[in-house]
């Protein structure tokens, strides 16, 4: 159900503690915005000196108000913050918005002060946003407790950056977007991003949730909440490029970056991940129209060849298709155009729009009706005929009116249409384009934005989410976690390995050959990367070759022990790597890819939040660049991919059940036509 945040967004009364007449103080900006608040709720200003603030009498304390206060905004110096919180709680405040800074962001002492305050708030049954936040706004309840005004709309913005919120306010305007809510996250001492996301997901006034976050807190809980939300969630985050600061001791650790983890979490949860405020605006604009494509095939309509070719390239670069139109569709399109128009895909009006602007609307309608297309992109000059450029109409009064009529016709056609139409125009602010925007049709100035919008609307964009599998109960830690101990634990979990024996000398080596028949593998144990150190010998045909390899290896490495193993049949097999790396924010993260000694060089890998059920593991394996190897190439037989997926499920479930393991890796996992066998493994304790 989530926490009850009703007092935060729709309190029965509000007090601004630290309200001021001094424009240099944040309490002045909050008080000025609070005066706009509606719904008839009482509003009180508190200033320890009393007097008036913005023409209103200010109480010297919350207790001096003489009536209940449901929500208290606290904007006082840090030295007086705890006293202000305690007074708010003693006055039965159910919610606090803590503007005051100087806590966890300042170091250990600040973190401890913040923790103590949050404990008192929770013990009182209240909720607190912040500290170190910039306030909140709820346009649906008339609650304005941030320093700026936010245009009403249907997007909830949860942000760690106030300036970013102001930029989005500017970017949203031309697209007809606005805010249902704005919450500055602050330090998330009590109310977290997950709490707010969960509440916004059930808020009737919100259609989409935009998030800017650098610190997810519990990243896995964020992914779970986003996956459960029945609304689009669009995430802009920073700092995804750097690898984990912890020194990686396996291929898995070396190959996993923060960007991989966040990307995998967003894919699993169905979150649209964006890189810039512009892209965030683009995706939200696309989603606001409510239409979704049933597939990924796009018809491109242009009034100039250059725009058409550039748009087709951009659409394909976004992962969508630009299919050849069927003869039937070409015939219908041709009815609206003249002989020199191109009726393939892209469709090029080739000047027909200047002869008859209604041809835009007729062609759009024909392409929307085409069975082979899932969306339409109109690109180029449309909007220019009715635009006022340098004081001149784009093409004369009659042509301008014809284009405006075409825009009205397109808007009317889209009223009952389920397929998306996206427009790229050189004149996005023109009257014709404003008509389209008002009808919920996304219009962009840049071709790449239009293509990104189509990708957000394409089949599988959110429907491709796989969800986040719950973590299993923690299992008893294996002790110790050496190579053979890890092997045995994985074998007990259902992962097959070749027969192996640990030996320390030549006598033990000879004894091992009584149980294991050749060919053999010899491995030096307790080395970080055995192959790189020359600590692995493969394909030793008989006992003599095994003894010779042991003598050579022991002379060079002096390892304390070795493993003698049965050599697996590598013919017709594909080597995979399966690993789990424990991320401090998102928990266990699984990696699958092409393995063996070249795993780091090839970097053909895919990620997902662990544990990975077999069906999800299969999808990741099929997403690899080299996935065709699994189906057999150049006369090689197909391998048992389903068996590989089941092995991935067992490996990742084992790692997820052992939180003490920081990195777990099986490399290679040999997949053959008749099943799988793990040939090497490594566990690293956290």
């Amino acid at each position: 159900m989530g926490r009850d945040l009703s007092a935060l967004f729709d309190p029965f009364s509000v007090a601004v503690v630290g309200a001021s007449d001094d424009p240099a103080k944040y309490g002045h900006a909050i008080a000025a915005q609070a005066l706009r608040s509606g719904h008839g709720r009482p509003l009180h200003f508190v200033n320890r000196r009393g007097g008036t603030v913005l023409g209103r009498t200010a109480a010297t304390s919350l207790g001096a108000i003489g009536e209940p206060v449901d929500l208290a905004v606290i904007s006082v110096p840090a030295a007086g913050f705890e006293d202000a919180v305690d007074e708010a709680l003693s006055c039965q405040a159910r919610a606090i918005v803590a503007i005051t800074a100087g806590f966890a962001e300042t170091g250990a002492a600040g973190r401890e002060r913040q923790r103590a305050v949050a404990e008192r708030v929770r013990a009182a049954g209240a909720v607190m946003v912040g500290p170190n936040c910039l306030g909140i706004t709820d346009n649906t309840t008339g609650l304005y407790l941030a320093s700026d005004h936010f245009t009403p709309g249907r997007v909830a913005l949860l942000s760690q950056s106030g300036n970013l919120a102001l930029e989005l306010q500017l970017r949203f305007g031309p697209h007809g977007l606005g805010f249902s809510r704005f919450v500055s996250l602050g330090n998330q001492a009590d109310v977290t991003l997950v709490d707010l996301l969960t509440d916004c997901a059930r808020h009737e006034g919100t259609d989409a949730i935009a998030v800017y976050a650098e610190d997810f807190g519990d990243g896995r809980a964020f992914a779970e909440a986003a996956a459960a939300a029945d609304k689009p969630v669009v995430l802009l985050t920073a700092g995804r490029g750097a690898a984990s600061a912890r020194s990686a001791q396996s291929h898995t650790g070396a190959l996993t970056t923060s960007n991989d983890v966040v990307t995998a979490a967003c894919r699993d949860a169905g979150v649209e991940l964006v890189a810039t405020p512009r892209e965030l605006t683009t995706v939200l604009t696309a989603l606001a129209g409510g239409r979704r494509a049933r597939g990924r095939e796009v018809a491109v309509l242009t009034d100039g060849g250059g725009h058409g070719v550039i748009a087709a390239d951009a659409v394909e670069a976004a992962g969508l298709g630009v299919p050849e139109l069927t003869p039937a569709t070409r015939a219908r399109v041709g009815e609206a155009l003249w002989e020199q128009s191109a009726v393939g895909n892209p469709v090029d009006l080739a000047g027909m729009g200047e002869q008859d602007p209604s041809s835009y609307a007729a062609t759009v309608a024909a392409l929307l009706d085409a069975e082979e297309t899932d969306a339409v992109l109109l690109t180029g000059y449309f909007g220019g005929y009715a635009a006022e450029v340098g004081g001149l109409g784009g093409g004369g009064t009659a042509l301008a009116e014809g284009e405006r009529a075409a825009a009205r016709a397109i808007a009317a056609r889209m009223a009952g249409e389920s397929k998306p139409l996206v427009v790229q125009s050189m004149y996005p602010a023109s009257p014709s384009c404003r008509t389209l925007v008002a009808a919920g049709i996304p219009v962009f100035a840049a071709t790449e934005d239009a293509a990104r919008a189509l990708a957000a609307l394409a089949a599988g964009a959110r429907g491709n989410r796989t969800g986040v599998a719950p973590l299993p109960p923690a299992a008893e830690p294996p002790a110790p976690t050496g190579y053979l101990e890890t092997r045995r634990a994985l074998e007990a979990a259902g992962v097959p390995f070749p027969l192996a024996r640990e030996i320390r000398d030549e006598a033990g080596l000879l004894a091992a050959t009584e149980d294991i028949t050749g060919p053999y593998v010899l491995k030096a144990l307790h080395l970080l990367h055995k192959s790189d150190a020359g600590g692995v010998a493969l394909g030793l045909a008989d006992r003599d070759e095994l003894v010779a390899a042991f003598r050579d290896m022991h002379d060079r490495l002096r390892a304390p022990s070795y493993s003698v193993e049965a050599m697996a049949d590598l013919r017709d097999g594909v080597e995979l790597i399966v690993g789990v790396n424990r991320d401090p924010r998102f928990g266990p993260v699984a990696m699958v890819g092409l393995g063996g000694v070249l795993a780091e060089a090839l970097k053909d890998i895919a990620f997902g939040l662990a544990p990975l059920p077999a069906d999800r593991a299969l999808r990741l394996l099929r997403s690899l660049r080299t996935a065709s190897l699994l189906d057999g190439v150049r006369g090689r037989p197909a391998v048992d991919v389903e068996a590989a997926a089941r092995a991935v499920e067992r490996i990742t479930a084992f790692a997820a059940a052992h939180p003490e393991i920081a990195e777990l890796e099986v490399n290679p996992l040999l997949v053959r036509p008749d099943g799988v066998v793990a040939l090497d493994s490594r566990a690293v304790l956290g």
Side-chain angles (χ1 to χ4, degrees):
M1 289 293 294
R3 300 179 70 183
D4 179 7
L5 303 184
S6 57
L8 191 62
F9 292 111
D10 193 14
F12 61 74
S13 66
V14 173
V16 179
V17 182
S20 174
D21 264 336
D22 183 353
K25 293 184 176 179
Y26 204 80
H28 173 84
I30 294 284
Q33 288 296 323
L35 286 173
R36 300 177 45 243
S37 295
H39 285 225
R41 66 172 63 89
L43 171 65
H44 309 282
F45 292 159
V46 177
N47 185 298
R48 62 187 178 87
R49 293 187 178 89
T52 61
V53 173
L54 297 173
R56 285 192 170 212
T57 300
T60 56
S61 68
L62 283 170
I65 292 173
E67 61 182 77
V69 171
D70 203 23
L71 185 152
V73 181
I74 299 179
S75 182
V76 301
F81 178 72
E82 282 95 329
D83 288 343
V85 169
D86 289 341
E87 186 180 24
L89 297 176
S90 69
C91 292
Q92 282 75 54
R94 295 189 298 147
I96 295 170
V97 176
I99 307 296
T100 304
F103 294 92
E105 74 275 15
T106 65
R111 282 194 296 273
E112 178 56 30
R113 286 182 64 196
Q114 177 176 296
R115 183 198 61 76
V117 170
E119 283 188 358
R120 295 205 292 276
V121 169
R122 285 192 289 270
V127 297
M128 179 178 71
V129 169
N132 188 31
C133 81
L134 299 176
I136 68 172
T137 291
D138 190 323
N139 281 319
T140 66
T141 62
L143 185 72
Y144 310 119
L145 299 175
S147 62
D148 293 279
H149 171 265
F150 292 93
T151 303
R154 307 286 298 182
V155 177
L157 173 62
L158 312 176
S159 177
Q160 284 186 266
S161 168
N163 280 348
L164 179 67
L166 299 181
E167 178 178 348
L168 291 175
Q169 164 89 322
L170 297 173
R171 289 186 176 275
F172 278 15
H175 299 285
L177 296 177
F179 300 87
S180 57
R181 289 172 168 177
F182 160 69
V183 182
S184 170
L185 297 174
N187 292 357
Q188 304 182 65
D190 176 44
V191 174
T192 66
L193 170 60
V194 172
D195 295 329
L196 292 163
L197 176 61
T198 301
D199 194 78
C200 289
R202 61 186 180 223
H203 180 228
E204 291 184 0
T206 294
D207 289 341
I209 303 166
V211 177
Y212 173 71
E214 299 163 11
D215 177 12
F216 294 94
D218 186 340
R220 194 179 190 93
F222 166 78
E224 291 170 347
D230 193 25
K231 296 175 182 177
V233 179
V234 186
L235 171 66
L236 171 61
T237 187
R240 293 188 285 129
S244 171
R246 179 177 45 79
S247 177
Q249 297 187 54
S250 67
H251 291 100
T252 299
L255 288 167
T256 306
T257 69
S258 298
N259 182 59
D260 298 321
V261 175
V262 174
T263 301
C266 287
R267 186 205 59 244
D268 290 353
V271 172
E272 281 281 352
L273 182 61
V274 298
T276 65
R278 172 176 152 183
E279 188 184 359
L280 186 146
T281 304
T282 296
V283 171
L284 287 170
T285 300
L287 297 174
R291 302 176 183 90
R292 301 292 185 270
R294 66 188 178 189
R296 305 181 69 82
E297 303 300 322
V298 178
V300 176
L301 170 60
T302 180
D303 45 24
H307 272 111
V309 173
I310 291 170
D313 284 348
V315 167
E316 291 185 337
L320 308 176
V322 183
E324 188 77 17
L325 299 180
T326 65
T329 299
R330 290 185 181 201
R332 285 194 298 272
V333 169
E335 292 173 2
L337 303 177
W338 55 9
E339 186 176 346
Q340 57 263 47
S341 299
V343 292
N345 194 10
V347 174
D348 185 0
L349 272 62
M352 182 65 182
E354 296 177 6
Q355 299 297 314
D356 179 9
S358 68
S359 60
Y360 280 102
T363 310
V364 165
L367 292 174
L368 288 169
D369 288 338
E371 287 294 324
E372 67 270 30
T373 65
D374 303 303
V376 177
L377 171 58
L378 169 59
T379 178
Y381 193 80
F382 187 83
Y385 301 118
E388 293 183 1
V389 182
L392 300 175
T397 303
L399 194 53
E401 178 51 41
E403 183 190 74
R404 288 193 289 267
R408 292 191 294 270
I410 292 172
R413 173 64 171 77
M414 292 301 295
E417 179 58 56
S418 60
K419 283 185 183 179
L421 167 67
V422 173
V423 177
Q424 179 274 322
S425 173
M426 297 161 63
Y427 303 95
S430 70
S432 299
C433 288
R434 287 200 298 270
T435 296
L436 300 181
V437 170
I441 300 168
V443 177
F444 302 98
T447 305
E448 58 270 28
D449 291 346
R452 179 63 179 91
L454 286 164
L457 298 173
R462 181 165 169 83
N464 198 38
R465 58 180 169 172
T466 56
V468 180
L471 290 174
E476 189 70 24
T481 56
Y483 166 67
L484 290 174
E485 290 83 5
T486 301
R487 271 184 52 133
R488 294 185 193 108
L490 286 169
E491 282 182 301
V495 182
F497 281 81
L499 192 62
R501 294 287 182 270
E502 183 177 13
I503 61 99
R504 288 177 171 77
D505 51 30
E506 194 167 318
L509 181 82
L510 295 174
T513 62
E514 299 297 325
D515 299 323
I516 305 172
T517 57
Y520 300 100
V521 175
L522 179 67
K523 299 177 182 177
L525 302 183
H526 312 290
L527 299 179
L528 187 57
H529 292 304
K530 297 183 285 292
S531 296
D532 295 345
V536 176
L538 303 175
L540 305 172
D542 51 31
R543 178 183 294 192
D544 292 341
E545 287 191 15
L546 177 62
V547 170
F550 171 77
R551 291 171 179 171
D552 171 71
M553 194 177 293
H554 192 58
D555 286 344
R556 289 184 293 104
L557 302 178
R558 295 293 170 181
S561 65
Y562 300 81
S563 177
V564 176
E565 303 176 11
M567 176 74 186
D569 186 354
L570 303 181
R571 293 172 300 174
D572 298 331
V574 176
E575 292 185 347
L576 300 178
I577 180 172
V578 182
V580 178
N581 190 42
R582 191 164 292 274
D583 184 84
R585 297 174 300 170
F586 289 89
V589 179
M591 180 189 80
V592 298
L594 203 64
V597 296
L598 297 179
E600 287 189 46
L602 296 174
K603 294 183 179 178
D604 185 13
I605 47 181
F607 297 88
L609 296 184
L612 289 178
D615 60 341
R616 195 177 310 168
L618 186 61
R619 292 172 70 172
L620 285 185
L621 290 168
R622 290 294 186 194
S623 73
L624 298 174
R625 296 192 311 273
T626 52
S628 59
L629 294 177
L630 303 172
D631 297 320
V633 293
R634 301 184 67 86
R636 292 169 62 92
V639 300
D640 192 344
V641 189
E642 286 75 16
R646 291 191 295 272
V648 171
E649 178 179 46
R650 292 164 184 156
I651 294 165
T652 59
F654 172 83
H658 288 278
E660 75 281 357
I661 296 179
E663 299 171 31
L664 176 71
E665 180 175 288
V666 173
N667 181 36
L669 177 71
L670 181 68
V671 191
R672 292 180 35 80
D674 56 355
V676 299
V677 61
L679 302 185
D680 203 1
S681 63
R682 178 175 178 79
V684 179
L685 293 180

